[in-house]
Amino acid sequence: MQDGELSIAALVEYSRRVFPEARITTWTGEGLRDASFAEIGDKAAQLAHALTKLGVERGDRVATFMWNNNEHQVAYAGVPAMGAVLHTLNLRLSPEQAVFIINHADDKVILVDASVAPLLGKYLAGTPKVQHVIVTNGPKEALEAPEGITVHAFDELIAGEPTVFEWPEIDERDPAVMCYTSGTTGDPKGVVYSHRSIWLHSMQVNSSSGMALGNADSVLAIVPMFHVMSWGLPYAAMMGGITLVMPDRFLQPEPLLQIMAEAKPSFAAAVPTIWQGVAARLAAAPQDISHLREVVVGGAAVPPSMIRAFDELGTRIVHAWGMTETSPLGSVARPPFGVSDDAEFAYRVTQGRFPSSVQARLIDDEGKEQPWDGESAGELEVRGPWITGAYYSPEGNVSDESKFHDGWLRTGDVATISPDGFMTIVDRTKDMIKTGGEWISSVELENTVMSNPAIAEAAVVGVPDEKWDERPFVLAVVKDAADADVEKQRAFLADLLPKWQIPERWAFVDEVPKTSVGKFDKKVVRAEYGEGKYQVVDSRS
Ligand code: AMP
């Protein structure tokens, strides 16, 4: 057989040549602004020329601080195709995390959306290695940058550059894109996707055991491009000639439904929180969404009631599981042929089956592999060509034992697997709270809460929340009874945390339950919360 490198450049050229009619279309708040794949390819080449002039070389990191839109797709295409590495920065990071990540990844250039430029501006004093910032969708004056950083406007920068770029030959195992996870303890960790891993993953996204997408589809990509590459959709779209509808910064249920009414997408992807909001809005203002053949939902467990609610609306929810470390497609719940309606539903609520390229096993506390009997639980470990083998570090990649086990990725998810290979997540070993699709490290939150001198000790656990899936609950001990005041505690955190991370639910006790070795016993805290043992004060009520 012949051989050839699986490269992003090849995908860019293919999509441009073969699917001139496929489109990337972005919501402006009033309407859609459109670009064909041919135009995206032209701009990708222009951006590559402009970046070369700014001194970007092979392997250099070019970051984005952007919403899902046409310009972000241009960066997705042009930056890896020229041999540089696209680093997508999460817009919801705390300032400390953002500064840490920009420095750790050694970002040289950052593309920023004008609407979030003031936010980025605050970080740049702490990121001395950044040389250029390129402002998209607005004037360069949107950003006030410290001395030493040159600010450009995207349109002006690429104007007049040739629409063809001699893409360099690359090794398919070279880095193409990187994305940071939130750290369970300490700092966020970088995952680096290669050209090859992205190519293979895109094939899986489009395959019938994945999202089953093709040239006749139009996909509303709600999951952010800064969150595991929008679940791989930008590259799967190039491969399959799939039209992508981008919501930009309009992520509330009302504009999302407006976008649907206008663009009539056949498919969509987002976390459960988004669909909960959409369902609530639909109840108040009915609208036909049956143009959505399927929506893939993951990032957190999908409640069975949500699957039923969307069935009634004529839209089928497909439950999927994945992680930043798994590119992210890890498993997809597609029931087998010929089962009864009840059995089919039971398959659909699981996290699904693993594709042929992803191997999975369950490991118990003693390190013993568990059978696939649908009952024995263990930590889920996976391996495969789009599963990360290490975390990025400038000093050399790290694959420490807490996260990797003989070449398998330890997911931190506790699961069972049925004899016919359907996985169900039953618990989580990592001490993280997932709220509205974004993570809060409970350990970091505890430390921030305890940085208040009024607090003697505080444990934080995730508790179920109707709107956000999970929210943090703080069990605190105060030194002076007068400080057992939720509003006082929240006011202290206001300057230290992004608003969405500040806990609403608090209880004040004499002592936080501890394990035999004196650690906070979060299992007990969680259980006692569930049993209603604490007098919880909720700042929302
Ligand atoms: P992230 O790296 O932010 O994408 O988060 C990955 C983690 O989200 C997984 O390890 C799980 O803990 C959780 N997760 C993702 N998909 C699901 C799902 N379908 N059901 C339950 N948890 C999920």
Side-chain angles (χ1 to χ4, degrees):
M1 286 297 114
Q2 297 183 4
D3 207 352
E5 303 296 319
L6 305 174
S7 73
I8 302 295
L11 274 186
V12 174
E13 289 308 320
Y14 172 75
S15 63
R16 187 177 188 188
R17 176 103 200 245
V18 177
F19 304 118
E21 81 297 337
R23 322 208 62 82
I24 305 294
T25 178
T26 298
W27 185 247
T28 63
E30 276 142 25
L32 292 160
R33 62 188 175 88
D34 231 19
S36 67
F37 275 37
E39 286 163 319
I40 296 285
D42 287 354
K43 287 200 173 166
Q46 290 181 306
L47 177 63
H49 283 291
L51 290 174
T52 305
K53 282 188 185 158
L54 297 184
V56 171
E57 293 176 0
R58 199 141 161 192
D60 282 349
R61 262 74 70 201
V62 175
T64 53
F65 198 65
M66 297 168 79
W67 304 105
N68 290 18
N69 57 27
N70 294 10
E71 292 68 31
H72 212 164
Q73 181 75 11
V74 170
Y76 260 69
V79 172
M82 72 183 283
V85 182
L86 180 82
H87 172 202
T88 55
L89 288 163
N90 187 328
L91 297 177
R92 305 205 177 102
L93 295 169
S94 68
E96 293 76 37
Q97 282 180 330
V99 168
F100 170 83
I101 288 174
I102 294 169
N103 289 332
H104 189 257
D106 212 352
D107 295 333
K108 201 168 181 178
V109 177
I110 304 180
L111 282 91
V112 63
D113 191 85
S115 65
V116 285
L119 191 58
L120 179 70
K122 288 191 201 155
Y123 310 153
L124 293 175
T127 61
K129 291 192 213 145
V130 175
Q131 295 169 11
H132 298 273
V133 178
I134 304 169
V135 178
T136 61
N137 294 311
K140 63 180 184 190
E141 288 72 27
L143 179 75
E144 258 181 63
E147 219 167 296
I149 295 181
T150 316
V151 185
H152 312 263
F154 179 81
D155 291 336
E156 286 165 27
L157 185 74
I158 68 167
E161 294 294 345
T163 53
V164 175
F165 192 94
E166 190 91 15
W167 304 119
E169 297 271 315
I170 53 108
D171 180 323
E172 64 182 16
R173 289 179 167 80
D174 283 349
V177 179
M178 68 192 296
C179 182
Y180 279 71
T181 68
S182 316
T184 24
T185 47
D187 297 321
K189 298 186 177 69
V191 175
V192 182
Y193 312 103
S194 67
H195 290 256
R196 171 186 158 85
S197 74
I198 290 173
W199 184 291
L200 297 174
H201 181 262
S202 302
M203 293 179 82
Q204 183 61 40
V205 167
N206 291 345
S207 93
S208 56
S209 60
M211 298 191 202
L213 296 172
N215 197 199
D217 279 305
S218 153
V219 177
L220 177 59
I222 303 172
V223 54
M225 290 168 92
F226 59 72
H227 204 143
V228 218
M229 301 181 287
S230 190
W231 295 350
L233 289 167
Y235 294 115
M238 291 183 204
M239 186 174 274
I242 300 154
T243 287
L244 289 185
V245 183
M246 305 294 211
D248 202 87
R249 58 191 185 281
F250 304 100
L251 297 168
Q252 299 304 316
E254 203 172 333
L256 287 176
L257 279 158
Q258 235 179 324
I259 301 172
M260 290 184 215
E262 190 83 15
K264 300 258 185 304
S266 60
F267 191 94
V271 294
T273 312
I274 295 273
W275 298 112
Q276 221 128 32
V278 166
R281 173 80 198 151
L282 279 172
Q287 173 179 326
D288 179 17
I289 60 158
S290 61
H291 50 83
L292 286 171
R293 168 171 58 81
E294 286 184 347
V295 296
V296 69
V297 190
V302 179
S305 57
M306 186 186 282
I307 297 183
R308 287 199 206 280
F310 277 83
D311 276 352
E312 275 170 29
L313 294 165
T315 292
R316 194 175 165 90
I317 284 184
V318 178
H319 192 189
W321 167 89
M323 307 169 69
T324 306
E325 288 88 335
T326 67
S327 292
L329 216 61
S331 65
V332 181
R334 292 196 176 278
F337 170 74
V339 291
S340 70
D341 285 355
D342 284 352
E344 199 203 29
F345 193 78
Y347 280 118
R348 289 175 67 199
V349 299
T350 72
Q351 273 75 8
R353 264 179 173 156
F354 301 95
S356 59
S357 301
V358 177
Q359 288 173 266
R361 66 180 186 185
L362 301 172
I363 303 292
D364 74 1
D365 289 344
E366 273 98 54
K368 250 182 56 208
E369 194 168 339
Q370 296 301 296
W372 291 19
D373 58 10
E375 280 172 20
S376 309
E379 182 176 2
L380 175 67
E381 297 190 348
V382 290
R383 67 176 181 191
W386 58 80
I387 312 294
T388 198
Y391 290 107
Y392 169 77
S393 157
E395 293 85 37
N397 293 341
V398 190
S399 46
D400 64 284
E401 274 175 23
S402 68
K403 282 299 214 162
F404 299 93
H405 178 194
D406 299 338
W408 296 70
L409 171 77
R410 298 180 59 177
T411 65
D413 290 323
V414 179
T416 61
I417 303 178
S418 65
D420 55 355
F422 281 79
M423 186 263 289
T424 299
I425 294 194
V426 293
D427 197 6
R428 203 186 274 151
T429 65
K430 48 197 168 194
D431 219 351
M432 301 286 286
I433 300 160
K434 199 161 204 190
T435 181
E438 296 295 329
W439 291 106
I440 299 175
S441 159
S442 59
V443 177
E444 269 172 36
L445 186 51
E446 271 160 17
N447 291 339
T448 314
V449 170
M450 286 192 280
S451 70
N452 184 345
I455 298 267
E457 59 180 12
V460 173
V461 297
V463 295
D465 181 272
E466 262 186 24
K467 182 158 183 208
W468 303 108
D469 299 327
E470 265 186 337
R471 288 296 295 159
F473 158 67
V474 187
L475 187 68
V477 180
V478 284
K479 294 179 189 156
D480 181 338
D483 291 314
D485 178 329
V486 171
E487 285 319 317
K488 251 194 203 172
Q489 296 301 332
R490 283 170 52 83
F492 174 83
L493 298 176
D495 291 337
L496 303 173
L497 293 171
K499 211 167 138 207
W500 64 272
Q501 293 193 5
I502 300 176
E504 297 83 19
R505 298 171 177 86
W506 297 68
F508 298 94
V509 287
D510 292 337
E511 201 191 339
V512 171
K514 313 246 176 28
T515 64
S516 57
V517 292
K519 290 187 185 178
F520 292 149
D521 197 334
K522 303 230 179 148
K523 261 194 197 139
V524 172
V525 175
R526 235 177 258 126
E528 293 190 340
Y529 177 92
E531 291 158 13
K533 257 189 135 173
Y534 303 127
Q535 239 185 336
V536 180
V537 182
D538 189 331
S539 68
R540 295 166 309 165
S541 49

